[in-house]
């Protein structure tokens, strides 16, 4: 202690000698503990290559797979790191083929095809599959023979028309919808009990991020595609058609083993030509309306911007997170909430919670909404209008969501806001064709009706069977008031609770959604389960099944695998539990509307109607209908949607008619009866 020069430190140590010695003792590593360890077993060993690759494939660590497979090329680094040892690459596809260059050779190929029960094919068009002609095609047969066809002056594609339209010959493809659209440009329909490799792979594992043919072949055939230079695209096309043919029996067997073959055969595959037709038809757009709307939005955005600057006392970039953080939390002194890597959060939920503290917050939220609507829709939609058809052709995707719902892209027409005035203005741009009207048919509360069916809850079943407003009924219980005393705000909150249960929302999530204390949110959920005990039973049974079997399924057998349901990580586990509760309901809703779409399209074709199905947006279908077909089309649509699947409660459809998507007005029950 005498060696300590600092007087203050020296006195502290003298006065706290016992604590100092205890601290030293606690900080000293004990080296005389008796251990029963074989240190040779602790030596580092290189990984099990086979097991590691399987894990990488399961988790879709594609960059690591590439690094692992090409380890030999990185030998100096790898020897130093001792992370990977080289592993044998998968065998490369190298399919032999014959080049069809004359009409005689093509006729000979057709003779061979006519002796086959199935063919696999793939084709390449120009840059835009919806407009450009086929320039190359590859066909593989069941005898292992493969053929390349270059469509040119000496090869007429129409020679293949009888083959493609034959119902006796199965067509095995990858992305049948794209092939259907390509061949339709040549007035050729792809018929037969077709098999789509991409859709089959999707049903077997709906959680994958993508379904590239190369990845599917790697997983199920244990082969890789040869990386060919651009000049040898022919070889790549042939290898693809060969892989498609070889994948079909494997995937078909797995679909059967997993109870998915009926869903694949009766819903997903018949839906393909329906979606292809909808995409080719496209939606009529009022360009003048969009241009005027863009100008109006610009003016409104500028006005809001000036109001924000006035409150802030300075001009700044409202779109800059950093500058917005400075204005809100430093200059205006608003209470800060959750923190991110770049400072305090300014996301939508955070800003909503700050609304009571400053009038600048609602303006910022409105500014964000209007700028997004302007850039995403008012300014972008005119650029996406097809120059030939003068219509917008969105893509309706079958293999994106884990629940089976369709998604929309290029552009996404499912995310146009409908609850805000500005969002509804965008919908006004979608108009009927000349001499036609738009018909919107929307399932009424279909997910809640499915919940009543799967939960067998008598209260829910009674409410829907007797046409009692379910949100008012729930509100009456939550707020302990007679139904006639339920206010619009009570009903709004009850509606949120009704759907929160479907999505497995926690009391914390509900409190954020409604802006109420967690304790009140918890009491709402408890009250809900007391009112509808069957729903609690459904939730409990579903989670038990998921934990035991590792998946959940819709009423029609659509599966979602839930590997995370037994995770030790609470956040991951609870996220999986919410998804498990929701998927059977949302998946069934997706299946039902798909069945309705298939049946409607078949009836439109059967009766020779000119009406066209244009869009599917969640539980809504949009049609372009000639005025003289209206009285026949509405009952056809309603009947097909109502009878797509039988539930324990009635299914109801709300039908609207108008010249544009926004101002369409509901058709009353009396009008529907009269029309029928």
């Amino acid at each position: 202690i005498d060696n300590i020069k600092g007087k203050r430190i020296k006195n502290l140590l003298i006065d706290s000698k016992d604590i100092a010695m205890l601290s030293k003792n606690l900080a000293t590593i004990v080296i005389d503990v008796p251990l029963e360890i074989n240190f040779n077993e602790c030596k580092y060993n290189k990984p099990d290559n086979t097991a590691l690759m399987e894990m990488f494939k399961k988790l879709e660590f594609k960059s690591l797979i590439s690094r692992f497979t090409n380890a030999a090329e990185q030998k100096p680094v790898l020897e130093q790191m001792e992370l990977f040892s080289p592993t044998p690459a998968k065998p490369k596809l190298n399919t032999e083929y014959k080049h069809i260059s004359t009409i005689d050779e093509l006729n000979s190929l057709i003779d061979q095809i006519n002796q086959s029960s199935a063919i696999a094919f793939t084709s390449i068009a120009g840059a835009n599959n919806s407009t450009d002609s086929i320039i190359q095609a590859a066909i593989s047969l069941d005898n292992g023979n493969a053929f390349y066809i270059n469509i040119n002056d000496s090869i007429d594609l129409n020679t293949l028309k009888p083959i493609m339209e034959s119902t006796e010959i199965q067509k095995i493809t990858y992305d049948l919808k794209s092939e259907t659209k390509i061949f339709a440009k040549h007035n050729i329909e792809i018929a037969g009990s077709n098999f789509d490799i991409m859709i089959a792979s999707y049903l077997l594992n709906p959680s994958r991020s993508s379904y590239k043919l190369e990845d599917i072949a790697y997983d199920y055939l244990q082969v890789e595609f040869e990386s060919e230079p651009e000049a040898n695209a022919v070889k790549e096309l042939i290898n693809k058609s060969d892989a498609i043919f070889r994948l079909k029996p494997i995937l078909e067997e797995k679909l059967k083993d997993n109870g998915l073959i009926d869903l694949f055969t009766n819903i997903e595959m018949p839906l393909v030509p329906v979606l292809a037709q909808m995409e080719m038809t496209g939606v009529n757009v009022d360009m003048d309306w969009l241009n005027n709307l863009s100008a109006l939005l610009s003016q409104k955005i500028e006005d809001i911007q000036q109001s924000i600057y006035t409150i802030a006392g300075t001009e700044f970039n409202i779109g800059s997170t950093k500058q917005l953080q400075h204005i809100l939390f430093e200059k205006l002194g608003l209470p800060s909430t959750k923190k991110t890597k770049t400072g305090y959060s300014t996301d939508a939920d955070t800003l909503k919670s700050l609304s009571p503290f400053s009038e600048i917050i609602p303006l910022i939220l409105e500014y964000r909404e209007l700028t997004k609507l302007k850039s995403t829709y008012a300014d972008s939609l005119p650029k996406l209008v097809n120059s030939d058809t003068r219509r917008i052709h969105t893509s309706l995707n079958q293999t994106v969501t884990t629940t089976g719902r369709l998604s929309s892209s290029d552009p996404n027409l499912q995310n146009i806001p409908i609850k805000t005035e500005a969002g509804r203005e965008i919908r006004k741009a979608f108009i009927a064709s000349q001499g036609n009207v738009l018909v919107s048919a929307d399932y009424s509360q279909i997910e809640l009706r499915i919940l009543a069916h799967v939960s067998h809850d008598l209260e829910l079943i009674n409410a829907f069977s007797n046409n009692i407003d379910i949100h008012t009924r729930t509100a009456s219980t939550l707020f302990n008031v007679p139904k006639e005393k339920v206010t619009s705000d009570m009903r709004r909150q009850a509606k949120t609770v009704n759907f929160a249960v479907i999505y497995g929302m926690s009391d914390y999530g509900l409190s954020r959604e409604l802006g109420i204390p967690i304790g009140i949110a918890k009491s709402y959920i408890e009250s809900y389960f007391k009112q509808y005990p069957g729903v609690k039973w459904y939730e409990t049974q579903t989670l038990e099944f998921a934990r035991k079997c590792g998946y959940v399924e819709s009423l029609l057998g659509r599966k979602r695998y839930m590997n995370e349901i037994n995770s030790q990580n609470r956040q991951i586990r609870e996220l999986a539990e919410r998804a498990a509760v929701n998927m059977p309901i949302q998946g069934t809703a997706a299946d039902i509307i798909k069945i309705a779409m298939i049946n409607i399209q078949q009836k439109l074709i059967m009766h020779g109607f000119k009406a066209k199905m244009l869009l599917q947006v969640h539980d809504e279908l949009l049609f372009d209908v000639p005025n003289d077909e209206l009285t026949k089309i509405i009952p056809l649509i309603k009947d097909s949607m109502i009878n797509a699947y039988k539930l324990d409660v009635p299914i109801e459809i709300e039908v609207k008619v108008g010249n544009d998507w926004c101002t369409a007005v509901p058709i009353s029950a009396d009008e529907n009866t009269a029309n029928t």
Side-chain angles (χ1 to χ4, degrees):
I1 196 69
D2 293 334
N3 293 331
I4 302 295
K5 294 181 180 179
K7 185 176 180 181
R8 177 176 171 275
I9 299 296
K10 185 174 183 177
N11 289 335
L12 281 172
L13 286 169
I14 292 171
D15 294 340
S16 307
K17 180 179 179 181
D18 292 342
I19 295 175
M21 298 308 294
L22 176 62
S23 296
K24 181 187 178 186
N25 185 45
L26 289 173
T28 302
I29 297 174
V30 178
I31 60 173
D32 57 354
V33 175
L35 298 175
E36 297 179 1
I37 290 178
N38 182 348
F39 282 95
N40 287 325
E41 294 178 357
C42 297
K43 286 184 177 178
Y44 169 75
N45 291 305
K46 292 183 178 179
D48 180 335
N49 293 341
T50 303
L52 191 61
M53 281 297 285
E54 288 302 316
M55 179 182 289
F56 287 168
K57 284 163 55 182
K58 179 180 178 181
L59 300 176
E60 298 184 45
F61 291 166
K62 294 177 184 175
S63 61
L64 285 178
I65 291 175
S66 175
R67 177 181 173 189
F68 184 77
T69 304
N70 300 322
E73 300 173 10
Q74 306 170 25
K75 190 172 181 180
V77 178
L78 293 170
E79 284 179 348
Q80 183 180 2
M81 296 170 61
E82 290 192 347
L83 288 177
F84 296 107
S85 58
T87 185
K90 300 292 184 187
K92 306 286 186 182
L93 268 179
N94 188 24
T95 307
E96 297 297 323
Y97 69 98
K98 181 177 181 180
H99 189 156
I100 303 296
S101 57
T102 68
I103 193 65
D104 288 340
E105 290 174 338
L106 182 59
N107 286 330
S108 175
L109 170 59
I110 290 172
D111 289 340
Q112 291 188 58
I113 293 174
N114 282 323
Q115 302 301 314
S116 303
S117 59
I119 64 169
F121 75 93
T122 185
S123 64
I124 297 178
N128 185 345
N129 284 349
S130 66
T131 58
D132 290 344
S133 298
I134 298 169
I135 55 175
Q136 298 175 82
I139 295 176
S140 292
L141 304 182
D142 52 8
N143 56 12
N145 291 333
F147 303 86
Y148 167 74
I149 307 170
N150 186 15
I151 309 303
N152 51 42
D153 293 338
S154 60
I155 299 290
D156 185 357
L157 188 64
N158 281 319
T159 309
L160 290 173
K161 184 179 174 74
I163 296 294
M164 289 298 175
E165 297 187 345
S166 170
T167 58
E168 302 298 320
I169 302 172
Q170 185 183 55
K171 318 306 182 307
I172 311 167
T173 56
Y174 171 85
D175 192 0
L176 175 60
K177 186 180 66 174
S178 293
E179 299 287 359
T180 299
K181 290 163 63 178
I182 293 172
F183 278 83
K185 295 296 295 181
H186 302 270
N187 197 31
I188 297 175
E189 178 184 351
I190 301 175
S193 55
N194 302 322
F195 194 101
D196 190 324
I197 297 300
M198 181 173 68
I199 294 175
S201 178
Y202 162 72
L203 288 182
L204 290 167
N205 184 4
S207 298
R208 289 185 69 144
S209 57
S210 68
Y211 297 88
K212 294 180 181 178
L213 181 57
E214 293 88 335
D215 295 337
I216 301 171
Y218 188 94
D219 288 344
Y220 293 102
L221 297 177
Q222 302 298 301
V223 296
E224 292 181 328
F225 284 8
E226 194 75 59
S227 298
E228 299 284 358
E230 194 64 32
N232 209 349
V234 173
K235 191 71 174 176
E236 183 180 353
L237 198 65
I238 289 292
N239 287 339
K240 285 183 176 181
S241 72
D242 182 35
I244 289 169
F245 202 107
R246 292 166 58 187
L247 280 164
K248 188 258 182 178
I250 297 172
L251 295 179
E252 186 173 41
E253 191 63 30
K254 288 188 176 293
L255 289 172
K256 292 176 181 177
D257 292 343
N258 288 275
L260 294 165
I261 194 68
D262 286 344
L263 182 71
F264 176 81
T265 304
N266 300 324
I267 297 181
E268 294 297 344
M269 290 310 302
L271 185 67
V272 173
V274 178
L275 298 180
Q277 186 59 57
M278 292 168 70
E279 292 182 8
M280 289 187 289
T281 300
V283 190
N284 203 20
V285 176
D286 188 335
M287 299 281 283
D288 292 336
W289 176 265
L290 285 173
N291 291 332
N292 291 334
L293 181 60
S294 178
L296 288 171
L297 288 173
S298 292
Q299 184 59 54
K300 193 162 187 179
I301 289 168
E302 187 176 332
D303 293 342
I304 293 172
Q305 186 173 269
Q306 292 305 318
S307 298
I308 291 172
Y309 292 161
T310 299
I311 297 172
T314 184
E315 293 189 5
F316 67 100
N317 182 355
I318 303 170
S320 165
T321 300
K322 193 158 189 172
Q323 292 185 38
L324 186 60
Q325 289 169 343
H326 171 73
I327 294 295
L328 296 182
F329 304 118
E330 296 178 28
K331 195 169 190 302
L332 298 180
L334 298 184
S336 54
T337 54
K338 64 181 181 181
K339 200 168 186 180
T340 67
K341 292 179 181 179
T342 58
Y344 291 108
S345 173
T346 59
D347 63 21
D349 287 340
T350 300
L351 291 186
K352 286 177 185 176
S353 69
L354 295 174
S355 293
F357 299 99
S358 174
E359 58 184 336
I360 199 174
I361 299 299
L363 292 172
I364 292 171
L365 290 171
E366 187 177 6
Y367 174 88
R368 285 182 177 180
E369 181 202 359
L370 296 183
T371 52
K372 182 178 180 180
L373 285 174
K374 184 178 185 300
S375 62
T376 306
Y377 297 108
D379 294 344
S380 297
L381 287 178
K383 300 173 186 176
L384 297 172
V385 172
N386 186 286
S387 58
D388 295 328
T389 65
R390 307 303 300 166
R391 300 167 80 89
I392 284 180
H393 301 265
T394 185
S395 293
L396 296 167
N397 311 303
Q398 270 177 283
T399 61
V400 172
T401 70
T402 55
T403 60
R405 281 196 178 276
L406 298 175
S407 73
S408 169
S409 60
D410 304 318
N412 183 351
L413 299 182
Q414 294 185 338
N415 275 0
I416 302 175
I418 193 172
K419 294 181 180 179
T420 64
E421 181 183 351
R424 290 190 291 272
E425 292 296 296
I426 297 290
R427 288 195 168 208
K428 285 184 182 178
F430 295 88
I431 59 176
S433 303
Q434 186 70 32
N436 290 9
V437 290
L438 289 185
V439 174
S440 164
D442 196 352
Y443 277 108
S444 174
Q445 300 174 336
I446 187 65
E447 291 187 354
L448 289 173
R449 294 173 192 271
I450 294 168
L451 177 63
H453 179 90
V454 298
S455 68
H456 308 294
D457 187 272
L458 296 179
E459 282 289 309
L460 281 177
I461 292 173
N462 177 64
F464 285 119
S465 298
N466 292 285
N467 202 27
I468 298 171
D469 183 84
I470 193 66
H471 302 315
T472 300
R473 186 166 191 158
T474 301
S476 176
T477 300
L478 291 182
F479 299 102
N480 195 27
V481 297
K483 288 192 285 291
E484 57 272 13
K485 297 285 186 179
V486 170
T487 65
S488 59
D489 186 61
M490 290 177 181
R491 186 183 183 278
R492 177 189 63 81
Q493 292 194 60
K495 181 178 180 179
T496 302
V497 174
N498 278 328
F499 284 104
V501 173
I502 292 177
Y503 290 97
M505 192 179 291
S506 65
D507 46 15
Y508 173 74
L510 183 61
S511 73
R512 286 177 62 87
E513 187 72 20
L514 292 177
I516 58 177
I518 293 179
I520 294 177
K522 184 178 181 181
S523 71
Y524 282 179
I525 294 176
E526 290 173 349
S527 178
Y528 180 93
F529 284 136
K530 286 180 182 177
Q531 184 180 8
Y532 306 117
V535 177
K536 185 62 178 177
W537 170 86
Y538 158 75
E539 185 178 288
T540 302
Q541 292 294 110
T542 300
L543 291 177
E544 286 180 1
F545 181 88
R547 294 186 187 107
K548 179 182 177 181
C549 301
Y551 68 89
V552 289
E553 59 184 345
S554 72
L555 290 174
L556 288 100
R558 183 181 302 277
K559 289 180 171 59
R560 179 178 178 181
Y561 297 92
M562 313 293 301
N563 296 327
E564 304 87 357
I565 197 77
N566 294 310
S567 173
Q568 297 300 310
N569 184 306
R570 182 175 64 85
Q571 286 184 313
I572 294 175
R573 184 178 66 253
E574 289 180 352
L575 183 64
E577 287 173 349
R578 291 194 290 273
V581 170
N582 170 251
M583 187 276 163
I585 297 169
Q586 196 173 120
T588 298
D591 294 337
I592 289 175
I593 199 167
K594 286 179 177 180
I595 294 170
M597 293 168 70
I598 294 165
N599 293 342
I600 291 170
Q601 185 72 359
Q602 289 174 347
K603 290 177 182 177
L604 292 178
I605 295 171
M606 184 190 310
H607 296 292
F609 287 120
K610 295 179 181 177
K612 300 287 186 182
M613 188 157 33
L614 304 178
L615 287 177
Q616 188 256 40
V617 180
H618 305 309
D619 302 323
E620 177 186 8
L621 296 176
L622 191 66
F623 301 84
D624 192 27
V625 182
N627 278 296
D628 59 0
E629 292 182 358
L630 193 59
T631 57
K632 295 179 180 178
I633 291 296
I634 290 176
L636 181 153
I637 293 170
K638 288 192 66 176
D639 180 72
S640 298
M641 293 178 73
I642 288 171
N643 293 304
Y645 189 83
K646 182 68 175 175
L647 296 176
D648 289 341
V649 296
I651 293 177
E652 292 189 4
I653 312 297
E654 183 182 39
V655 177
K656 295 180 180 179
V657 177
N659 292 318
D660 65 70
W661 196 6
C662 175
T663 62
V665 295
I667 299 294
S668 68
D670 291 339
E671 287 177 284
N672 281 332
T673 302
N675 287 337
T676 303

